[in-house]
Amino acid sequence: MLAAMPEPEGEMERPSLVSDLDWDADRARAFADRTVDLWEELLRRLPELPVAGRWNAGQVRAAMAREVPDEPLPDDELFDYLRAMTFEYSMYPGHPRFMAYISGTGTVPGAPADLLAAGLNMNVGGWRLAPSATEIELALMRWFCREFGLDPQSAGGYLVSGGAMAVFVALKVARDVKANWDVRGSGIRSGPALRFYASQEVHVVSQRAADMLGMGREGVRTIPVDGDYRMRMDALAEAIEQDRGSGIRPIGVIATAGTVATGAIDPLPEIADLCAARDLWFHVDAAYGGPAVLAEDLRPMFAGIERADSISFDPHKWLYTPHSGGCVLLRDWSNLVLSFAALASYVHEDKETSGHGIDLGMMGPQFSRGFQALKVWVSLLAHGRTAFARRISHDAELARYLAARVEAHPDFELMAPVTLSICCFRYAPSDLPDDPGREEYLNVLNERLMTEIQLDGRAFCSNAVLHEAFVLRACIVNFRTEADDVEATLEVAAELGGRLDKELRPETLRG
Ligand SMILES: Cc1ncc(COP(=O)(O)O)c(C=O)c1O
């Protein structure tokens, strides 16, 4: 029983209840049920739906943007709106014929796990605000460390929004550790220009990270690649020497394990040796390729990744979990604190008395953090490791199968070796003469073809630009894709390609 408190003097009335937002459990259940009904219908109808529609921005804006009402929308009206959003104005990365960019399918158990995470609404910036969530994220990170061959005693990881943020965190730690002055205190201006090295095939987010770190985009020097799109070691060593000679301080190499264009893997053991010999930070951007370490047949290609100082990879790509969630792993986890710790006097805690654990908000760029780990963790628990390993391996098998079908077809050309699950090819009609204008025309044709495939809705692939050739690119990180879908994608490309060729081919290239 609490002791009676004295009443305040004067005008202050006792506030009455304001409960509009406080739906009870029955109301919550009814609302969630209708949402889950939509999701269930989506799962049932997915294979028959177009991968994407032929809308333009104005049409979608007109249908989706609306005034926020002062009073509640009736549920029927609200769910009609959500139904239209789901079935008329969305596109589906989980569709069996979606093979574009590097966007994962979205695990099925990951979606309800996200609902539970939001329902709990813990703040994973502080342990006391998120005890279970913090320990789950830490357990997940220890598991990832082991899978990548890092020692979970000294290594550790951190969940961020995706590959771009994971690279940013890794490069920030690299900068702070390798610059021999207090960059965090006095800034980048207090020492010589710092530089990272990466292959020409590096994802643009590395240059953007260098820009965000005050190093400018030139803070990443790009190195030529060999015929298989892998960083050339001779050119790397030469660039480092050249920069040293002109007063620039090399601080690290960004290797890519699974480049965005072709899936190439840089020579990791050689880069690890070079970094060790020259005291450089060794980062591996494995945003796409990383989860392939789970697959027995693909894992050997990643030898050397266990020597990295940091690894970034995206569960929301080839681990298929729902957007978003990227991950950065550090060989020496304490470096995250070195790079991100900040004192906030209002966040006081006597951990000796409370016995509480680590506050993850002190170990990365975000202060408040959501429970992103749950959808990944629940997916792993619900499916088990073997299911992921098997499916990742199967995706790569399907990409090789697509490459074989491309090579067997007279009107297609395979444009790069298949390393992981990306197949780059182009439509090149067999009757096209070997003329100086051929390459230029094939670029025009394939550029239009990619757009038409994306608008057509029966399949969905994206593009790459390889040595100035515009090519079609299928990236299979999709546990619903099977051989039928691969064949159908090629059939759609052949049909639309033939039609466009009739329309676009210049007189000079007609036989
Ligand atoms: C190698 C690589 N790094 C980084 C990224 C960026 O990742 P995200 O889109 O999750 O930020 C990508 C995206 O495809 C990528 O392929």
Side-chain angles (χ1 to χ4, degrees), residues 102 162-164 203 205 256 258 260 285 287-288 314 316-317:
I102 311 181
H203 196 285
V205 296
T256 306
V260 67
D285 180 355
Y288 154 50
D314 277 350
H316 71 203
K317 290 189 166 63

Side-chain angles (χ1 to χ4, degrees), residues 364-449:
Q366 284 177 250
F367 209 60
S368 291
R369 305 172 72 242
F371 192 1
Q372 288 181 310
L374 193 64
K375 60 191 171 218
V376 183
W377 189 240
V378 167
S379 301
L380 290 168
L381 297 184
H383 289 304
R385 183 189 184 284
T386 309
F388 285 93
R390 208 169 15 225
R391 183 61 224 198
I392 289 168
S393 178
H394 186 51
D395 286 345
E397 183 187 19
L398 288 171
R400 293 193 298 272
Y401 176 64
L402 175 56
R405 300 291 298 224
V406 162
E407 288 198 295
H409 198 296
D411 294 332
F412 286 108
E413 288 175 358
L414 186 65
M415 297 301 287
V418 175
T419 306
L420 295 170
S421 66
I422 291 178
C423 176
C424 289
F425 60 103
R426 69 178 174 184
Y427 183 70
S430 53
D431 64 343
L432 197 63
D434 199 6
D435 180 274
R438 182 178 190 270
E439 287 301 308
E440 197 185 330
Y441 171 61
L442 285 178
N443 280 353
V444 171
L445 178 61
N446 281 276
E447 202 179 321
R448 261 295 293 282
L449 178 53

